[in-house]
mmCIF file of all heavy atoms in Angstrom:
data_model
loop_
_atom_site.group_PDB
_atom_site.id
_atom_site.type_symbol
_atom_site.label_atom_id
_atom_site.label_comp_id
_atom_site.label_asym_id
_atom_site.label_seq_id
_atom_site.Cartn_x
_atom_site.Cartn_y
_atom_site.Cartn_z
ATOM 1 N N ARG A 1 3.803 -7.519 -13.943
ATOM 2 C CA ARG A 1 2.837 -7.831 -15.010
ATOM 3 C C ARG A 1 1.522 -8.345 -14.433
ATOM 4 O O ARG A 1 0.443 -8.011 -14.925
ATOM 5 C CB ARG A 1 3.414 -8.867 -15.975
ATOM 6 C CG ARG A 1 4.588 -8.365 -16.752
ATOM 7 C CD ARG A 1 4.180 -7.266 -17.720
ATOM 8 N NE ARG A 1 5.340 -6.816 -18.448
ATOM 9 C CZ ARG A 1 5.770 -5.575 -18.495
ATOM 10 N NH1 ARG A 1 5.102 -4.634 -17.888
ATOM 11 N NH2 ARG A 1 6.836 -5.247 -19.158
ATOM 12 N N THR A 2 1.590 -9.161 -13.387
ATOM 13 C CA THR A 2 0.373 -9.674 -12.757
ATOM 14 C C THR A 2 -0.437 -8.534 -12.149
ATOM 15 O O THR A 2 -1.659 -8.488 -12.298
ATOM 16 C CB THR A 2 0.735 -10.715 -11.677
ATOM 17 O OG1 THR A 2 1.487 -11.767 -12.279
ATOM 18 C CG2 THR A 2 -0.505 -11.283 -11.019
ATOM 19 N N ALA A 3 0.244 -7.612 -11.481
ATOM 20 C CA ALA A 3 -0.445 -6.456 -10.893
ATOM 21 C C ALA A 3 -1.079 -5.599 -11.981
ATOM 22 O O ALA A 3 -2.235 -5.174 -11.851
ATOM 23 C CB ALA A 3 0.534 -5.636 -10.062
ATOM 24 N N GLU A 4 -0.347 -5.340 -13.061
ATOM 25 C CA GLU A 4 -0.885 -4.528 -14.163
ATOM 26 C C GLU A 4 -2.106 -5.181 -14.791
ATOM 27 O O GLU A 4 -3.118 -4.518 -15.037
ATOM 28 C CB GLU A 4 0.182 -4.322 -15.238
ATOM 29 C CG GLU A 4 1.275 -3.367 -14.867
ATOM 30 C CD GLU A 4 2.340 -3.255 -15.950
ATOM 31 O OE1 GLU A 4 2.509 -4.205 -16.754
ATOM 32 O OE2 GLU A 4 2.995 -2.212 -15.992
ATOM 33 N N ASN A 5 -2.036 -6.468 -15.036
ATOM 34 C CA ASN A 5 -3.144 -7.168 -15.698
ATOM 35 C C ASN A 5 -4.365 -7.309 -14.802
ATOM 36 O O ASN A 5 -5.494 -7.324 -15.292
ATOM 37 C CB ASN A 5 -2.698 -8.546 -16.182
ATOM 38 C CG ASN A 5 -1.718 -8.454 -17.333
ATOM 39 O OD1 ASN A 5 -1.709 -7.481 -18.075
ATOM 40 N ND2 ASN A 5 -0.885 -9.460 -17.476
ATOM 41 N N SER A 6 -4.163 -7.406 -13.500
ATOM 42 C CA SER A 6 -5.307 -7.618 -12.616
ATOM 43 C C SER A 6 -6.108 -6.341 -12.388
ATOM 44 O O SER A 6 -7.294 -6.412 -12.083
ATOM 45 C CB SER A 6 -4.864 -8.212 -11.280
ATOM 46 O OG SER A 6 -4.041 -7.299 -10.595
ATOM 47 N N VAL A 7 -5.485 -5.167 -12.545
ATOM 48 C CA VAL A 7 -6.218 -3.914 -12.318
ATOM 49 C C VAL A 7 -6.286 -3.023 -13.561
ATOM 50 O O VAL A 7 -6.831 -1.929 -13.499
ATOM 51 C CB VAL A 7 -5.615 -3.112 -11.143
ATOM 52 C CG1 VAL A 7 -5.791 -3.855 -9.844
ATOM 53 C CG2 VAL A 7 -4.177 -2.760 -11.387
ATOM 54 N N ASP A 8 -5.744 -3.465 -14.677
ATOM 55 C CA ASP A 8 -5.753 -2.706 -15.935
ATOM 56 C C ASP A 8 -5.155 -1.311 -15.788
ATOM 57 O O ASP A 8 -5.701 -0.323 -16.272
ATOM 58 C CB ASP A 8 -7.175 -2.605 -16.506
ATOM 59 C CG ASP A 8 -7.663 -3.933 -17.041
ATOM 60 O OD1 ASP A 8 -6.819 -4.728 -17.495
ATOM 61 O OD2 ASP A 8 -8.882 -4.179 -16.994
ATOM 62 N N LYS A 9 -4.040 -1.220 -15.069
ATOM 63 C CA LYS A 9 -3.296 0.029 -14.925
ATOM 64 C C LYS A 9 -1.825 -0.261 -15.152
ATOM 65 O O LYS A 9 -1.368 -1.381 -14.960
ATOM 66 C CB LYS A 9 -3.484 0.633 -13.534
ATOM 67 C CG LYS A 9 -4.887 1.116 -13.268
ATOM 68 C CD LYS A 9 -4.965 1.818 -11.954
ATOM 69 C CE LYS A 9 -6.393 2.303 -11.727
ATOM 70 N NZ LYS A 9 -6.497 3.087 -10.529
ATOM 71 N N THR A 10 -1.093 0.770 -15.539
ATOM 72 C CA THR A 10 0.342 0.578 -15.738
ATOM 73 C C THR A 10 1.048 0.556 -14.393
ATOM 74 O O THR A 10 0.528 1.031 -13.372
ATOM 75 C CB THR A 10 0.932 1.713 -16.591
ATOM 76 O OG1 THR A 10 0.809 2.940 -15.880
ATOM 77 C CG2 THR A 10 0.241 1.804 -17.937
ATOM 78 N N TRP A 11 2.258 0.022 -14.390
ATOM 79 C CA TRP A 11 3.045 -0.044 -13.166
ATOM 80 C C TRP A 11 3.339 1.363 -12.646
ATOM 81 O O TRP A 11 3.318 1.597 -11.439
ATOM 82 C CB TRP A 11 4.336 -0.819 -13.400
ATOM 83 C CG TRP A 11 5.163 -0.919 -12.173
ATOM 84 C CD1 TRP A 11 6.375 -0.353 -11.951
ATOM 85 C CD2 TRP A 11 4.845 -1.623 -10.970
ATOM 86 N NE1 TRP A 11 6.831 -0.661 -10.693
ATOM 87 C CE2 TRP A 11 5.910 -1.440 -10.075
ATOM 88 C CE3 TRP A 11 3.749 -2.388 -10.572
ATOM 89 C CZ2 TRP A 11 5.907 -1.992 -8.797
ATOM 90 C CZ3 TRP A 11 3.766 -2.935 -9.294
ATOM 91 C CH2 TRP A 11 4.825 -2.734 -8.426
ATOM 92 N N GLY A 12 3.572 2.309 -13.541
ATOM 93 C CA GLY A 12 3.834 3.681 -13.122
ATOM 94 C C GLY A 12 2.660 4.287 -12.366
ATOM 95 O O GLY A 12 2.844 4.961 -11.348
ATOM 96 N N LYS A 13 1.449 4.046 -12.861
ATOM 97 C CA LYS A 13 0.250 4.562 -12.183
ATOM 98 C C LYS A 13 0.040 3.870 -10.841
ATOM 99 O O LYS A 13 -0.342 4.505 -9.858
ATOM 100 C CB LYS A 13 -0.980 4.409 -13.070
ATOM 101 C CG LYS A 13 -0.976 5.352 -14.243
ATOM 102 C CD LYS A 13 -2.231 5.208 -15.066
ATOM 103 C CE LYS A 13 -2.171 6.153 -16.250
ATOM 104 N NZ LYS A 13 -3.351 6.063 -17.091
ATOM 105 N N LEU A 14 0.259 2.563 -10.800
ATOM 106 C CA LEU A 14 0.122 1.838 -9.537
ATOM 107 C C LEU A 14 1.131 2.342 -8.509
ATOM 108 O O LEU A 14 0.794 2.559 -7.336
ATOM 109 C CB LEU A 14 0.319 0.337 -9.756
ATOM 110 C CG LEU A 14 -0.821 -0.403 -10.429
ATOM 111 C CD1 LEU A 14 -0.390 -1.812 -10.792
ATOM 112 C CD2 LEU A 14 -2.032 -0.428 -9.531
ATOM 113 N N LYS A 15 2.363 2.535 -8.952
ATOM 114 C CA LYS A 15 3.405 3.018 -8.054
ATOM 115 C C LYS A 15 3.064 4.408 -7.523
ATOM 116 O O LYS A 15 3.240 4.695 -6.343
ATOM 117 C CB LYS A 15 4.737 3.035 -8.802
ATOM 118 C CG LYS A 15 5.942 2.903 -7.934
ATOM 119 C CD LYS A 15 7.174 2.562 -8.746
ATOM 120 C CE LYS A 15 7.736 3.799 -9.376
ATOM 121 N NZ LYS A 15 9.056 3.604 -9.965
ATOM 122 N N GLN A 16 2.534 5.247 -8.386
ATOM 123 C CA GLN A 16 2.162 6.596 -7.998
ATOM 124 C C GLN A 16 1.011 6.580 -6.986
ATOM 125 O O GLN A 16 1.013 7.348 -6.030
ATOM 126 C CB GLN A 16 1.762 7.396 -9.234
ATOM 127 C CG GLN A 16 1.549 8.857 -8.999
ATOM 128 C CD GLN A 16 1.247 9.586 -10.296
ATOM 129 O OE1 GLN A 16 0.787 8.987 -11.272
ATOM 130 N NE2 GLN A 16 1.512 10.876 -10.317
ATOM 131 N N GLU A 17 0.031 5.701 -7.185
ATOM 132 C CA GLU A 17 -1.097 5.609 -6.268
ATOM 133 C C GLU A 17 -0.668 5.166 -4.873
ATOM 134 O O GLU A 17 -1.207 5.631 -3.876
ATOM 135 C CB GLU A 17 -2.151 4.640 -6.805
ATOM 136 C CG GLU A 17 -3.025 5.218 -7.865
ATOM 137 C CD GLU A 17 -4.096 4.257 -8.327
ATOM 138 O OE1 GLU A 17 -4.339 3.233 -7.655
ATOM 139 O OE2 GLU A 17 -4.694 4.537 -9.376
ATOM 140 N N PHE A 18 0.286 4.255 -4.811
ATOM 141 C CA PHE A 18 0.694 3.708 -3.514
ATOM 142 C C PHE A 18 1.897 4.423 -2.911
ATOM 143 O O PHE A 18 2.413 4.004 -1.874
ATOM 144 C CB PHE A 18 0.967 2.208 -3.648
ATOM 145 C CG PHE A 18 -0.297 1.409 -3.745
ATOM 146 C CD1 PHE A 18 -0.804 1.035 -4.971
ATOM 147 C CD2 PHE A 18 -0.988 1.052 -2.607
ATOM 148 C CE1 PHE A 18 -1.982 0.319 -5.070
ATOM 149 C CE2 PHE A 18 -2.162 0.330 -2.684
ATOM 150 C CZ PHE A 18 -2.659 -0.040 -3.917
ATOM 151 N N GLN A 19 2.344 5.509 -3.535
ATOM 152 C CA GLN A 19 3.498 6.254 -3.040
ATOM 153 C C GLN A 19 3.247 6.805 -1.630
ATOM 154 O O GLN A 19 4.162 6.891 -0.829
ATOM 155 C CB GLN A 19 3.813 7.401 -4.003
ATOM 156 C CG GLN A 19 5.181 7.974 -3.869
ATOM 157 C CD GLN A 19 6.242 7.057 -4.450
ATOM 158 O OE1 GLN A 19 5.997 6.329 -5.386
ATOM 159 N NE2 GLN A 19 7.412 7.097 -3.883
ATOM 160 N N THR A 20 2.007 7.168 -1.326
ATOM 161 C CA THR A 20 1.699 7.780 -0.036
ATOM 162 C C THR A 20 1.458 6.757 1.074
ATOM 163 O O THR A 20 1.349 7.135 2.234
ATOM 164 C CB THR A 20 0.454 8.675 -0.146
ATOM 165 O OG1 THR A 20 -0.648 7.874 -0.585
ATOM 166 C CG2 THR A 20 0.691 9.801 -1.138
ATOM 167 N N LEU A 21 1.375 5.503 0.728
ATOM 168 C CA LEU A 21 1.114 4.457 1.721
ATOM 169 C C LEU A 21 2.370 4.198 2.543
ATOM 170 O O LEU A 21 3.449 3.961 1.998
ATOM 171 C CB LEU A 21 0.671 3.164 1.035
ATOM 172 C CG LEU A 21 0.230 2.028 1.943
ATOM 173 C CD1 LEU A 21 -0.991 2.436 2.762
ATOM 174 C CD2 LEU A 21 -0.078 0.805 1.129
ATOM 175 N N THR A 22 2.233 4.296 3.849
ATOM 176 C CA THR A 22 3.360 4.025 4.743
ATOM 177 C C THR A 22 2.958 2.961 5.750
ATOM 178 O O THR A 22 1.785 2.788 6.063
ATOM 179 C CB THR A 22 3.796 5.298 5.500
ATOM 180 O OG1 THR A 22 2.683 5.798 6.246
ATOM 181 C CG2 THR A 22 4.296 6.367 4.544
ATOM 182 N N ALA A 23 3.933 2.261 6.244
ATOM 183 C CA ALA A 23 3.701 1.224 7.258
ATOM 184 C C ALA A 23 4.724 1.401 8.363
ATOM 185 O O ALA A 23 5.864 1.783 8.119
ATOM 186 C CB ALA A 23 3.818 -0.169 6.645
ATOM 187 N N GLY A 24 4.288 1.125 9.564
ATOM 188 C CA GLY A 24 5.189 1.227 10.703
ATOM 189 C C GLY A 24 5.066 0.003 11.584
ATOM 190 O O GLY A 24 3.986 -0.588 11.705
ATOM 191 N N ALA A 25 6.159 -0.375 12.187
ATOM 192 C CA ALA A 25 6.172 -1.505 13.123
ATOM 193 C C ALA A 25 6.469 -0.955 14.515
ATOM 194 O O ALA A 25 7.439 -0.215 14.705
ATOM 195 C CB ALA A 25 7.213 -2.528 12.722
ATOM 196 N N HIS A 26 5.618 -1.291 15.451
ATOM 197 C CA HIS A 26 5.785 -0.839 16.824
ATOM 198 C C HIS A 26 6.007 -2.058 17.707
ATOM 199 O O HIS A 26 5.175 -2.956 17.749
ATOM 200 C CB HIS A 26 4.550 -0.063 17.284
ATOM 201 C CG HIS A 26 4.158 1.042 16.363
ATOM 202 N ND1 HIS A 26 4.809 2.240 16.335
ATOM 203 C CD2 HIS A 26 3.193 1.112 15.415
ATOM 204 C CE1 HIS A 26 4.261 3.016 15.424
ATOM 205 N NE2 HIS A 26 3.272 2.344 14.842
ATOM 206 N N ARG A 27 7.127 -2.087 18.397
ATOM 207 C CA ARG A 27 7.439 -3.214 19.276
ATOM 208 C C ARG A 27 7.141 -2.834 20.716
ATOM 209 O O ARG A 27 7.543 -1.774 21.186
ATOM 210 C CB ARG A 27 8.907 -3.602 19.131
ATOM 211 C CG ARG A 27 9.210 -4.230 17.802
ATOM 212 C CD ARG A 27 10.590 -4.868 17.781
ATOM 213 N NE ARG A 27 10.846 -5.372 16.446
ATOM 214 C CZ ARG A 27 11.603 -4.751 15.559
ATOM 215 N NH1 ARG A 27 12.208 -3.628 15.862
ATOM 216 N NH2 ARG A 27 11.777 -5.263 14.360
ATOM 217 N N THR A 28 6.457 -3.731 21.393
ATOM 218 C CA THR A 28 6.156 -3.544 22.806
ATOM 219 C C THR A 28 6.584 -4.796 23.557
ATOM 220 O O THR A 28 7.056 -5.766 22.956
ATOM 221 C CB THR A 28 4.646 -3.298 23.024
ATOM 222 O OG1 THR A 28 3.926 -4.484 22.662
ATOM 223 C CG2 THR A 28 4.143 -2.124 22.205
ATOM 224 N N ASN A 29 6.397 -4.778 24.843
ATOM 225 C CA ASN A 29 6.719 -5.968 25.640
ATOM 226 C C ASN A 29 5.815 -7.143 25.293
ATOM 227 O O ASN A 29 6.192 -8.289 25.475
ATOM 228 C CB ASN A 29 6.589 -5.648 27.131
ATOM 229 C CG ASN A 29 7.634 -4.656 27.594
ATOM 230 O OD1 ASN A 29 8.681 -4.515 26.952
ATOM 231 N ND2 ASN A 29 7.367 -3.966 28.675
ATOM 232 N N ARG A 30 4.634 -6.858 24.781
ATOM 233 C CA ARG A 30 3.662 -7.909 24.456
ATOM 234 C C ARG A 30 3.772 -8.411 23.023
ATOM 235 O O ARG A 30 3.103 -9.352 22.644
ATOM 236 C CB ARG A 30 2.256 -7.401 24.692
ATOM 237 C CG ARG A 30 1.965 -7.128 26.135
ATOM 238 C CD ARG A 30 0.547 -6.711 26.292
ATOM 239 N NE ARG A 30 0.215 -6.570 27.692
ATOM 240 C CZ ARG A 30 -0.987 -6.332 28.133
ATOM 241 N NH1 ARG A 30 -1.982 -6.194 27.271
ATOM 242 N NH2 ARG A 30 -1.212 -6.209 29.424
ATOM 243 N N GLY A 31 4.582 -7.773 22.198
ATOM 244 C CA GLY A 31 4.721 -8.219 20.813
ATOM 245 C C GLY A 31 4.905 -7.047 19.877
ATOM 246 O O GLY A 31 5.290 -5.956 20.276
ATOM 247 N N GLU A 32 4.590 -7.283 18.622
ATOM 248 C CA GLU A 32 4.781 -6.284 17.588
ATOM 249 C C GLU A 32 3.448 -5.940 16.942
ATOM 250 O O GLU A 32 2.630 -6.818 16.685
ATOM 251 C CB GLU A 32 5.751 -6.823 16.533
ATOM 252 C CG GLU A 32 6.152 -5.829 15.492
ATOM 253 C CD GLU A 32 7.196 -6.386 14.546
ATOM 254 O OE1 GLU A 32 6.828 -7.253 13.736
ATOM 255 O OE2 GLU A 32 8.353 -5.951 14.617
ATOM 256 N N VAL A 33 3.229 -4.661 16.671
ATOM 257 C CA VAL A 33 2.016 -4.184 16.030
ATOM 258 C C VAL A 33 2.417 -3.505 14.731
ATOM 259 O O VAL A 33 3.296 -2.644 14.716
ATOM 260 C CB VAL A 33 1.263 -3.178 16.936
ATOM 261 C CG1 VAL A 33 0.042 -2.631 16.221
ATOM 262 C CG2 VAL A 33 0.880 -3.817 18.246
ATOM 263 N N LEU A 34 1.795 -3.902 13.627
ATOM 264 C CA LEU A 34 2.026 -3.273 12.333
ATOM 265 C C LEU A 34 0.861 -2.339 12.045
ATOM 266 O O LEU A 34 -0.302 -2.710 12.235
ATOM 267 C CB LEU A 34 2.145 -4.323 11.227
ATOM 268 C CG LEU A 34 3.277 -5.320 11.387
ATOM 269 C CD1 LEU A 34 3.204 -6.375 10.304
ATOM 270 C CD2 LEU A 34 4.623 -4.628 11.360
ATOM 271 N N GLN A 35 1.176 -1.124 11.594
ATOM 272 C CA GLN A 35 0.145 -0.129 11.360
ATOM 273 C C GLN A 35 0.435 0.611 10.064
ATOM 274 O O GLN A 35 1.586 0.905 9.747
ATOM 275 C CB GLN A 35 0.113 0.857 12.525
ATOM 276 C CG GLN A 35 -0.985 1.865 12.465
ATOM 277 C CD GLN A 35 -0.981 2.755 13.697
ATOM 278 O OE1 GLN A 35 -0.029 2.783 14.463
ATOM 279 N NE2 GLN A 35 -2.055 3.476 13.887
ATOM 280 N N THR A 36 -0.626 0.900 9.299
ATOM 281 C CA THR A 36 -0.494 1.692 8.074
ATOM 282 C C THR A 36 -1.389 2.917 8.178
ATOM 283 O O THR A 36 -2.307 2.956 9.012
ATOM 284 C CB THR A 36 -0.915 0.896 6.823
ATOM 285 O OG1 THR A 36 -2.307 0.596 6.925
ATOM 286 C CG2 THR A 36 -0.117 -0.380 6.674
ATOM 287 N N ASN A 37 -1.123 3.902 7.340
ATOM 288 C CA ASN A 37 -2.032 5.039 7.278
ATOM 289 C C ASN A 37 -3.298 4.602 6.540
ATOM 290 O O ASN A 37 -3.298 3.596 5.838
ATOM 291 C CB ASN A 37 -1.361 6.237 6.605
ATOM 292 C CG ASN A 37 -0.861 5.941 5.211
ATOM 293 O OD1 ASN A 37 -0.382 4.843 4.940
ATOM 294 N ND2 ASN A 37 -0.948 6.902 4.330
ATOM 295 N N PRO A 38 -4.392 5.339 6.690
ATOM 296 C CA PRO A 38 -5.649 4.938 6.023
ATOM 297 C C PRO A 38 -5.480 4.921 4.509
ATOM 298 O O PRO A 38 -4.791 5.750 3.925
ATOM 299 C CB PRO A 38 -6.642 6.033 6.450
ATOM 300 C CG PRO A 38 -6.055 6.646 7.669
ATOM 301 C CD PRO A 38 -4.565 6.520 7.537
ATOM 302 N N LEU A 39 -6.157 3.963 3.882
ATOM 303 C CA LEU A 39 -6.107 3.828 2.416
ATOM 304 C C LEU A 39 -7.027 4.854 1.771
ATOM 305 O O LEU A 39 -8.104 5.139 2.268
ATOM 306 C CB LEU A 39 -6.547 2.436 1.990
ATOM 307 C CG LEU A 39 -5.673 1.258 2.421
ATOM 308 C CD1 LEU A 39 -6.336 -0.050 2.022
ATOM 309 C CD2 LEU A 39 -4.308 1.365 1.820
ATOM 310 N N SER A 40 -6.581 5.380 0.642
ATOM 311 C CA SER A 40 -7.416 6.285 -0.146
ATOM 312 C C SER A 40 -8.444 5.441 -0.911
ATOM 313 O O SER A 40 -8.273 4.226 -1.052
ATOM 314 C CB SER A 40 -6.551 7.079 -1.123
ATOM 315 O OG SER A 40 -6.048 6.225 -2.128
ATOM 316 N N PRO A 41 -9.499 6.073 -1.421
ATOM 317 C CA PRO A 41 -10.479 5.289 -2.212
ATOM 318 C C PRO A 41 -9.846 4.587 -3.418
ATOM 319 O O PRO A 41 -10.236 3.475 -3.766
ATOM 320 C CB PRO A 41 -11.489 6.354 -2.660
ATOM 321 C CG PRO A 41 -11.378 7.446 -1.637
ATOM 322 C CD PRO A 41 -9.938 7.437 -1.201
ATOM 323 N N GLU A 42 -8.864 5.239 -4.066
ATOM 324 C CA GLU A 42 -8.202 4.620 -5.212
ATOM 325 C C GLU A 42 -7.406 3.389 -4.792
ATOM 326 O O GLU A 42 -7.383 2.374 -5.479
ATOM 327 C CB GLU A 42 -7.268 5.620 -5.898
ATOM 328 C CG GLU A 42 -7.969 6.790 -6.546
ATOM 329 C CD GLU A 42 -8.281 7.914 -5.561
ATOM 330 O OE1 GLU A 42 -7.719 7.912 -4.437
ATOM 331 O OE2 GLU A 42 -9.099 8.771 -5.891
ATOM 332 N N GLN A 43 -6.727 3.474 -3.641
ATOM 333 C CA GLN A 43 -5.959 2.335 -3.140
ATOM 334 C C GLN A 43 -6.881 1.196 -2.758
ATOM 335 O O GLN A 43 -6.581 0.033 -2.999
ATOM 336 C CB GLN A 43 -5.106 2.763 -1.950
ATOM 337 C CG GLN A 43 -3.986 3.701 -2.317
ATOM 338 C CD GLN A 43 -3.323 4.329 -1.105
ATOM 339 O OE1 GLN A 43 -3.910 4.398 -0.026
ATOM 340 N NE2 GLN A 43 -2.099 4.796 -1.278
ATOM 341 N N LYS A 44 -8.029 1.514 -2.169
ATOM 342 C CA LYS A 44 -8.992 0.478 -1.810
ATOM 343 C C LYS A 44 -9.526 -0.236 -3.050
ATOM 344 O O LYS A 44 -9.766 -1.431 -3.043
ATOM 345 C CB LYS A 44 -10.163 1.073 -1.018
ATOM 346 C CG LYS A 44 -9.817 1.407 0.399
ATOM 347 C CD LYS A 44 -11.023 1.957 1.128
ATOM 348 C CE LYS A 44 -10.656 2.353 2.529
ATOM 349 N NZ LYS A 44 -11.789 2.938 3.257
ATOM 350 N N ALA A 45 -9.720 0.528 -4.131
ATOM 351 C CA ALA A 45 -10.232 -0.067 -5.368
ATOM 352 C C ALA A 45 -9.264 -1.076 -5.958
ATOM 353 O O ALA A 45 -9.664 -2.077 -6.529
ATOM 354 C CB ALA A 45 -10.540 1.029 -6.388
#
């Protein structure tokens, strides 16, 4: 409800917009790096 009210979109639309967003964790000897694919203009908004 907080997400819906803050952007004036339904949960279904929000879920659909962020469906393509992926995140990956890469572990190395120096630590862990978290990486996501680039955000679309709609996701940035």
Side-chain angles (χ1 to χ4, degrees):
R1 294 293 180 236
T2 302
E4 287 177 335
N5 291 334
S6 64
V7 294
D8 289 330
K9 293 186 179 185
T10 64
W11 180 247
K13 289 182 181 180
L14 286 170
K15 206 165 81 169
Q16 189 176 23
E17 281 183 14
F18 285 96
Q19 198 74 31
T20 59
L21 186 62
T22 58
H26 308 282
R27 290 192 184 101
T28 66
N29 293 338
R30 294 183 174 186
E32 187 175 71
V33 177
L34 299 175
Q35 185 177 14
T36 64
N37 57 323
L39 295 175
S40 69
E42 294 84 14
Q43 292 169 338
K44 285 181 183 178

